[in-house]
Amino acid sequence: MKSLEKLVAERLLSLKAIKLQPLSPFRWGNGWDSPIYCDDRKILSYPKERDFMKLEASRVVAETFPKVDVIAGIATNAIAPGVLVAHQLSLPFVYVHPFPKDHGLENQIEGDLRPHQNVVIFENQVAIGDNCQKVIEAIRMSGCNVLGVVTLLDYEFELGHKVFADAGVPFVPLTGFSMLIETAKELGYISLETAKLLETWHKNPAKWTKRK
């Protein structure tokens, strides 16, 4: 039987939600050049795959964090999947900005969150974990307990994992970088040479540059 990690990786690749192109890299928001980009928003356009992700993510949350009271999505990319999980589990939903807004009510947490509630944070993908760190702090400052963080994709960087270790928060990814690359090789999405370039990037992403 295939693992959930494998099934999620296969679906992301089949939807072309994962772009693997070391010869034409992307620029990430943190300034890194990256040979991989996850456009997980594509999942929302495909009902069958959307239902699969919703059901599996909901199962993981329910089994791993049975005392959860509220699902919190990180704005903006994790709002839609977070809502799907909350709806499936019949739980309240809020979403949280990494920083308070500078207009309107200047909220950082959108929705009703009451002190002492147990919150599971949903993120679409985790690299260095900076947004997760800010959202964990915001939820704790509101008087609530963060049970854990669930993400669709973990890039498996030590920097990101350190955020959760330092915060004492369990971290549960549905799939990860290693499984993506392994699955992409097995299914013929990338060559062995491309896989090696991706692995080289992963070892030192801040200083990686594309091959000329």
Side-chain angles (χ1 to χ4, degrees):
M1 179 181 293
K2 293 180 181 179
S3 67
L4 178 59
E5 272 191 296
K6 186 83 167 177
L7 292 170
V8 171
E10 288 178 351
R11 280 160 173 77
L12 289 173
L13 289 163
S14 69
L15 291 177
K16 296 182 171 60
I18 297 292
K19 312 291 187 185
L20 301 169
Q21 46 188 69
L23 299 183
S24 181
F26 307 92
R27 176 60 57 91
W28 277 8
N30 63 3
W32 291 355
D33 287 326
S34 170
I36 179 172
Y37 185 83
C38 178
D39 185 14
D40 56 277
R41 292 169 290 269
K42 279 180 171 285
I43 297 168
L44 300 173
S45 298
Y46 297 89
K48 182 179 178 181
E49 307 305 332
R50 185 179 67 217
D51 281 348
F52 170 82
M53 295 295 185
K54 175 187 69 175
L55 292 171
E56 290 301 325
S58 298
R59 180 183 60 79
V60 167
V61 170
E63 291 179 357
T64 311
F65 307 107
K67 294 184 179 180
V68 59
D69 298 315
V70 180
I71 301 295
I74 297 182
T76 58
N77 289 343
I79 292 176
V83 167
L84 290 172
V85 170
H87 183 73
Q88 178 67 25
L89 296 176
S90 297
L91 290 172
F93 176 79
V94 300
Y95 66 88
V96 188
H97 304 281
F99 297 97
K101 293 192 301 184
D102 60 1
H103 59 280
L105 296 177
E106 300 182 353
N107 291 335
Q108 185 169 8
I109 299 174
E110 306 283 7
D112 290 331
L113 193 58
R114 298 190 302 275
H116 311 302
Q117 287 185 306
N118 292 323
V119 180
V120 169
I121 297 169
F122 201 92
E123 176 65 301
N124 65 323
Q125 49 191 298
V126 171
I128 61 175
D130 52 340
N131 284 343
C132 288
Q133 182 179 38
K134 295 179 180 72
V135 168
I136 290 168
E137 291 171 355
I139 291 173
R140 285 176 167 170
M141 286 293 291
S142 76
C144 290
N145 178 39
V146 177
L147 295 182
V149 175
V150 176
T151 188
L152 176 67
L153 173 64
D154 173 23
Y155 280 97
E156 299 174 350
F157 293 128
E158 288 185 13
L159 194 59
H161 289 186
K162 186 176 185 298
V163 165
F164 303 109
D166 289 349
V169 171
F171 174 54
V172 185
L174 301 189
T175 197
F177 177 82
S178 299
M179 180 59 74
L180 271 179
I181 303 309
E182 177 186 318
T183 304
K185 285 190 296 185
E186 287 179 4
L187 298 180
Y189 286 97
I190 57 174
S191 66
L192 291 176
E193 181 181 6
T194 297
K196 288 178 181 177
L197 288 173
L198 287 159
E199 288 161 0
T200 298
W201 165 80
H202 191 261
K203 291 176 181 176
N204 194 354
K207 296 188 176 179
W208 180 86
T209 55
K210 69 177 181 178
R211 177 177 289 183
K212 304 297 184 182

